[in-house]
Every structure is written in C-alpha cells, then in structure tokens.
Amino acid sequence: MSHALRAAGSAPPFHPAASTPVSVLAERLRETGIVALEGLGARSAVLDFADRIMEITEHRDSERDGLTTIYNTRRHAKRPGYAGLTNSELAPHTERSGVARPPRLMLLVCAHPAAEGGVSLLTDGQAVYDDLATHHPEARDLLSTHRTAFFGDAAGHTTQVFTPHADGRVSLRLRTDTLARWNPLLTPHLPHLHAAIRRHQVALPLAATQGYLLDNTRWLHARTRFSGERLCWRALGEPLPQLLPLPVGFLPGPVASPRPTEGVS
C-alpha cells in the first residue's frame, strides 16, 4: 500500500470541498500529494473549486470553461491516446505525459458513477520508486536515465520515468499505452515497474459529488473498465499562490537516493 495512504488504511479520507480551507488542502498536497473531496454536485461547483486552487490549463478535449467531460463517447474506441473517452480500462499514467511540462495538478470529480466498474486506481510514485530502489535498483537507475522514454505522438516529449532534482526530490512521468516508446536497454526492466505499480495501487470508488485532487508529478491515476453511463469532470492546472510552496514530486526514502546516471544513446 502507498506510503501516503497507510495511515488512512486503504484510501484518503474525504474532505468537504466547500468548507475545507485552502491552507488544509495545501498541507495535504505537500505531505501526501493527494486530497479526496466530496460535495461537488454540479459542474459550476467543480469549476468554482478549481478556480480557488489552480489556474486552469486547456486540454485537447476540454470545453470553453477549461473542464473536460469524461464519459464514453462511443466514438473513440481503439484511437491511441483516447482511452479516457471510452468505457475501457485506463492504464496508470501521468496526465499530459507527452508535453515538456505536464500540469502540476489534476482534479477529477464524479458526476454520475458507472453501473458497474469505473473505479479510480491511484498509485503513489514515492512508493513505487522506493520499492524499485530496494528490490530492483538497476531498474530504478535506468528509469531515472535521461532520454530512455518518448511519450506522445510525433509531437511528443523525450524524457524518463523518474527525474531527480537538485534538491533531492524526484518527479514522476509515465504512460504505458501505444504512445509510449522505450530505449531497448530499459525494456527488460518494465515488468518490474508494472509490478511495483500494481503492488502499491489503491482503489478509490467515487460516488456522485466525490473526487480527488492530486499532484500530477507524484501520483499515477488509472481506472477500471465500466458499464453504464459514467460521467466525470476533470480540471488540469497550475497551483495558485495560496497553495505554494508546493515542492515538485516526492522525497525518496533512505534506501532510494538517486544516483547520477549517464544518458543512453
């Protein structure tokens, strides 16, 4: 189970969105990288909440107010990069992994739950990183090596899964669908990464009005396949000053200090 959720047992406690002070949200994001929310019963309420905490950034699929409606459009099956707009399983990923600077924050709110399935699956990158450092340090090192991954279409981004920073923190970026390409040296180690993600994945079923806010440089999010008319709203953005400072990513555990790595050609 993820480090950030151990104290809660299995999932983070829900905070009332309207009455929880921004200072509390900021503290939770700094400590754990995630906040579960409830009481967001309308699109306007989601937008108002998002405006309290972030400068909303546009997405390919967002509407004029900046929110993206997530549902099974029945038009996007088998289109690479569009699994979120189907009823299929959604693999663990970083939102907008194929751009140079992914948005720091993601807010997802359930307006109407699925008849069956559609459960949110969340994984703390800190737990995955520390797990690999303990059991598969070579995999951790290669996943931290520059230019070992390319995420996105032709206009995507050359990168790596883990990025160590000068202050000792590490940020996470990942996708595993057909828009992910890997350096061949890394390919044998990908099963270790996938296994670590599964070990630390936490299920968070969302009822109507419930959702979560996460640090997109730390947490991976996914979804199980669903049936019925599931509908969610999503906002991406950059934290407003009242949430700052919000350090990037996570601090590794004692056994997981990043080691300098050379680029792989």
Side-chain angles (χ1 to χ4, degrees):
M1 184 177 298
S2 166
H3 295 183
L5 301 184
R6 281 176 180 160
S10 60
F14 284 95
H15 292 67
S19 60
T20 301
V22 173
S23 59
V24 173
L25 300 175
E27 180 182 8
R28 297 305 299 157
L29 285 173
R30 284 192 288 268
E31 289 182 356
T32 69
I34 192 168
V35 186
L37 302 160
E38 61 185 359
L40 293 167
R43 186 186 184 99
S44 58
V46 176
L47 188 60
D48 288 345
F49 179 82
D51 283 338
R52 288 173 56 200
I53 58 173
M54 70 171 77
E55 181 179 350
I56 297 176
T57 58
E58 292 183 356
H59 183 271
R60 174 197 64 197
D61 305 314
S62 62
E63 296 157 50
R64 295 186 66 180
D65 59 6
L67 298 185
T68 301
T69 304
I70 307 293
Y71 68 109
N72 180 17
T73 68
R74 296 175 173 81
R75 301 190 308 273
H76 292 86
K78 299 182 180 179
R79 290 186 64 184
Y82 284 86
L85 297 179
T86 72
N87 68 340
S88 65
E89 176 186 13
L90 192 59
H93 66 286
T94 300
E95 200 61 50
R96 302 207 69 195
S97 60
V99 301
R101 189 172 182 270
R104 282 299 311 273
L105 299 175
M106 189 195 82
L107 170 68
L108 183 80
V109 176
C110 179
H112 190 283
E116 185 176 356
V119 175
S120 293
L121 303 173
L122 306 169
T123 309
D124 187 356
Q126 181 190 53
V128 174
Y129 187 91
D130 290 351
D131 186 319
L132 292 173
T134 299
H135 302 290
H136 301 284
E138 184 180 359
R140 187 278 310 265
D141 289 347
L142 282 170
L143 289 162
S144 305
T145 300
H146 295 307
R147 304 179 66 83
T148 49
F150 183 91
F151 297 146
D153 55 20
H157 187 68
T158 302
T159 184
Q160 59 276 343
V161 173
F162 297 115
T163 300
H165 299 279
D167 63 357
R169 300 182 73 88
V170 176
S171 57
L172 169 65
R173 179 198 299 246
L174 181 67
R175 71 185 304 151
T176 59
D177 61 6
T178 57
L179 295 181
R181 284 175 275 174
W182 306 97
N183 185 288
L185 292 177
L186 188 55
T187 303
H189 300 279
L190 293 178
H192 301 314
L193 172 64
H194 299 323
I197 290 171
R198 288 192 298 270
R199 278 194 292 273
H200 298 283
Q201 202 167 60
V202 175
L204 184 65
L206 296 176
T209 84
Q210 293 181 332
Y212 57 85
L213 172 68
L214 58 74
D215 184 340
N216 193 44
T217 68
R218 174 168 176 171
W219 284 81
L220 301 172
H221 61 284
R223 180 193 72 207
T224 64
R225 182 178 178 84
F226 68 89
S227 61
E229 301 302 317
R230 180 182 187 267
L231 187 146
C232 295
W233 294 303
R234 184 189 65 201
L236 305 173
E238 300 302 316
L240 292 175
Q242 50 265 44
L243 283 186
L244 300 175
L246 184 59
V248 67
F250 54 88
L251 277 175
V255 298
S257 298
R259 297 201 297 267
T261 55
E262 298 296 331
V264 175
S265 59

